[in-house]
Amino acid sequence: MSDPYGNASSSSGSSLNSSSHDTEDDHTIAAMLAEDEKLRYDGKLGKRLSHLDSIPHTPRVITAIPDANDATLDHERLAQRLATYGLAEMRIEGDGNCQFRALADQLFQNPDYHKYIRKEVIKQLKRHRNLYDSYVPMKYRSYVKKMKRLGEWGDHVTLQAAADRFEAKICLVTSFRDTCYIEILPKDRSPSRELWLSFWSEIHYNSLYQTGEVPTRTHRKKHWLF
């Protein structure tokens, strides 16, 4: 009797199915992106924070991570700010891809599209090196190669690249003591949408919504604990 699972054919079939699934995912993402390009942001969240002054944004890489005690205090400060402004976080997995997951949630209502976001950011970094090179304190090619890896933490350079690639104003409500709110604008063009993220102490990004309007997502992995 032959093996009903046929190792060789199973492997081949699995590969074909995986390739087909990836292609379908790409087509779905492309369709969603094309549809979203037609939309203009309505600024509902922006109206809540329109009275706040944002600081000039300078792209930078991560240089230091706070210790556990400082991080805890910073998170408490962030939670208080969000409550004050009527904002709530959709928790994003803390697997090293949180920046890209949060952006994917804002753009496509699905954090699982983080690989696509990272891929597009890398394309932006490669095609427009002159825009970002001066902010990277290491060999630029090494930086881009590092950022290609899944699980590599995004920084303010990748946020700027995302703002430029998706023509978006990225709005960060932060945990920093002296900086409540940061706006990251696309270079040399007007933004066609707003993306709202919370930013906790160089550690984690979540996706922001109005209180009571946080969507329910199906998460495959454990959330960031806070």
Side-chain angles (χ1 to χ4, degrees):
M1 177 182 284
S2 62
D3 180 358
Y5 297 101
N7 291 335
S9 60
S10 175
S11 175
S12 175
S14 175
S15 177
L16 289 174
N17 288 337
S18 176
S19 176
S20 175
H21 181 70
D22 289 345
T23 300
E24 290 176 2
D25 279 352
D26 286 344
H27 288 166
T28 299
I29 293 170
M32 293 176 72
L33 179 59
E35 180 179 355
D36 198 50
E37 289 287 353
K38 300 176 184 178
L39 302 177
R40 307 291 292 185
Y41 62 82
D42 59 16
K44 288 191 295 184
L45 289 182
K47 291 176 183 177
R48 290 174 178 254
L49 277 75
S50 60
H51 64 289
L52 295 178
D53 293 327
S54 65
I55 66 167
H57 172 251
T58 301
R60 68 182 190 279
V61 300
I62 297 173
T63 56
I65 298 174
D67 64 32
N69 290 334
D70 287 342
T72 299
L73 291 174
D74 280 357
H75 188 266
E76 291 173 357
R77 185 184 303 114
L78 174 60
Q80 290 171 358
R81 284 177 179 167
L82 295 177
T84 297
Y85 299 122
L87 302 174
E89 294 173 304
M90 196 196 81
R91 303 293 178 84
I92 298 295
E93 294 171 22
D95 62 351
N97 301 304
C98 63
Q99 183 188 108
F100 302 99
R101 287 184 181 276
L103 290 170
D105 181 71
Q106 287 283 303
L107 282 166
F108 304 122
Q109 296 74 57
N110 192 335
D112 288 342
Y113 288 149
H114 66 94
K115 293 180 182 178
Y116 174 79
I117 300 295
R118 188 184 289 270
K119 181 172 69 173
E120 291 301 305
V121 166
I122 293 302
K123 287 181 182 177
Q124 179 73 19
L125 291 172
K126 287 181 176 179
R127 291 172 179 169
H128 304 280
R129 173 173 177 167
N130 61 303
L131 295 178
Y132 314 107
D133 196 356
S134 62
Y135 301 113
V136 177
M138 59 187 297
K139 289 185 177 180
Y140 192 77
R141 289 185 179 180
S142 298
Y143 170 77
V144 172
K145 183 178 180 180
K146 179 169 73 83
M147 279 300 167
K148 286 176 64 175
R149 297 196 297 261
L150 286 180
E152 187 65 41
W153 291 15
D155 54 33
H156 283 249
V157 178
T158 56
L159 274 181
Q160 183 65 61
D164 297 338
R165 165 61 185 88
F166 295 105
E167 297 184 7
K169 178 167 78 171
I170 299 177
C171 307
L172 299 182
V173 180
T174 83
S175 66
F176 297 135
R177 182 177 291 102
D178 301 322
T179 307
C180 173
Y181 178 57
I182 299 173
E183 289 182 355
I184 301 170
L185 296 169
K187 294 180 181 295
D188 303 323
R189 67 189 70 186
S190 298
S192 61
R193 71 197 79 195
E194 288 183 359
L195 310 180
W196 283 82
L197 310 180
S198 63
F199 181 45
W200 169 34
S201 262
E202 305 289 359
I203 292 176
H204 192 65
Y205 293 85
N206 281 317
S207 182
L208 287 182
Y209 293 86
Q210 295 186 70
T211 298
E213 296 186 8
V214 178
T216 300
R217 306 272 195 247
T218 300
H219 296 279
R220 298 176 183 174
K221 298 178 182 178
K222 190 175 183 180
H223 292 166
W224 188 264
L225 296 180
F226 282 87

